[in-house]
Amino acid sequence: ADFAAGHLFVSGAEKTASGKTVTVIRDETILLEALEEAAIPAKYVSRRSSARGTLIFESRKTQTMIQGVDFSRERYLQDRMTLLAGSFEAMSDRQGLILSEPTARKLGMELGDRVLLQLATITGQQNVGELALAAIAPDSGLLSGFSAYANASYLNELLDMGDSEYMQLGLYLPSLDGMDRYADRLAAELGLRANVKERKKAEGMEGAMASH
């Protein structure tokens, strides 16, 4: 939950003119209305974009999942994550990047090094960006491959998304008690306002999937 920034998640989906389904939340109005009516007691709310891409540094490369975070709004991650080197303040660089220690070591990167990121936009077009290593996080074991963070505004640009758009809303609850009940309640409220897919369950987490 700490790495994913939540226990309950809502993802938005829409179809393009060509029939392709893309994951994006462009307008959160009905989502916020549903959250209010469902009275979910969330301690923290996160808005995340994400992309699986390839990091290329000199002759080395590795695939990783990069989370787009608005560090000016989301204090949760900074309160939960310790850093081995660098600082969250260094993420004021729009192209800043936080990597786990194993990933940084695999690439042979040090603070300040710049790395290329190859990824696909939400509609499947190939794109390339450049990031600068601003901080290094400790080894988190199996989750190290998910411990890469960039500024949401820059990642959204590479994904061909608007600055205020995102893919997934995460709700961090005070405890796991009642999590399933809250998920059902939120899914029901969303169903009054949008086409809602069947709620998916993951080990240790519940999610409400909305399509609008």
Side-chain angles (χ1 to χ4, degrees):
D2 285 346
F3 279 97
H7 299 102
L8 304 182
F9 302 92
V10 182
S11 296
E14 66 179 29
K15 285 189 178 295
T16 65
S18 63
K20 181 180 178 62
T21 300
V22 297
T23 301
V24 63
I25 297 175
R26 302 190 192 277
D27 184 345
E28 62 179 11
T29 303
I30 62 173
L31 176 53
L32 296 182
E33 290 175 354
L35 285 174
E36 183 176 358
E37 289 298 319
I40 307 297
K43 290 180 62 178
Y44 303 101
V45 177
S46 65
R47 294 168 174 82
R48 296 278 181 90
S49 299
S50 63
R52 176 165 291 281
T54 301
L55 293 171
I56 304 171
F57 180 69
E58 297 179 345
S59 61
R60 303 179 182 183
K61 63 181 179 180
T62 188
Q63 285 197 338
T64 189
M65 180 68 74
I66 297 183
Q67 299 286 321
V69 178
D70 184 345
F71 287 91
S72 66
R73 295 175 61 183
E74 192 181 320
R75 297 294 308 178
Y76 171 83
L77 180 64
Q78 300 178 52
D79 293 339
R80 292 293 188 276
M81 179 182 287
T82 58
L83 298 175
L84 294 176
S87 66
F88 288 108
E89 287 74 20
M91 289 300 291
S92 59
D93 180 351
R94 187 166 178 267
Q95 293 173 274
L97 173 68
I98 299 174
L99 288 179
S100 66
E101 191 277 332
T103 302
R105 183 176 67 248
K106 181 177 181 179
L107 291 170
M109 292 185 65
E110 298 179 354
L111 293 179
D113 286 339
R114 304 191 74 83
V115 61
L116 293 179
L117 171 63
Q118 291 183 337
L119 79 173
T121 68
I122 57 174
T123 55
Q125 306 301 311
Q126 293 300 306
N127 202 1
V128 178
E130 185 178 66
L131 298 164
L133 186 59
I136 298 175
D139 184 358
S140 56
L142 294 175
L143 293 176
S144 287
F146 296 89
S147 304
Y149 300 89
N151 283 299
S153 61
Y154 185 62
L155 186 62
N156 280 9
E157 180 181 305
L158 298 180
L159 290 169
D160 195 23
M161 293 168 55
D163 192 52
S164 62
E165 297 171 352
Y166 57 97
M167 294 178 172
Q168 183 173 267
L169 184 101
L171 304 172
Y172 195 98
L173 303 176
S175 73
L176 300 183
D177 293 338
M179 182 171 62
D180 195 59
R181 182 177 70 255
Y182 292 133
D184 285 336
R185 189 186 301 171
L186 178 56
E189 287 294 337
L190 284 170
L192 299 175
R193 299 165 174 81
N195 297 320
V196 179
K197 296 181 181 179
E198 182 180 354
R199 183 162 64 84
K200 297 180 180 179
K201 298 183 179 182
E203 185 177 351
M205 289 186 282
E206 316 282 340
M209 304 294 290
S211 177
H212 63 276

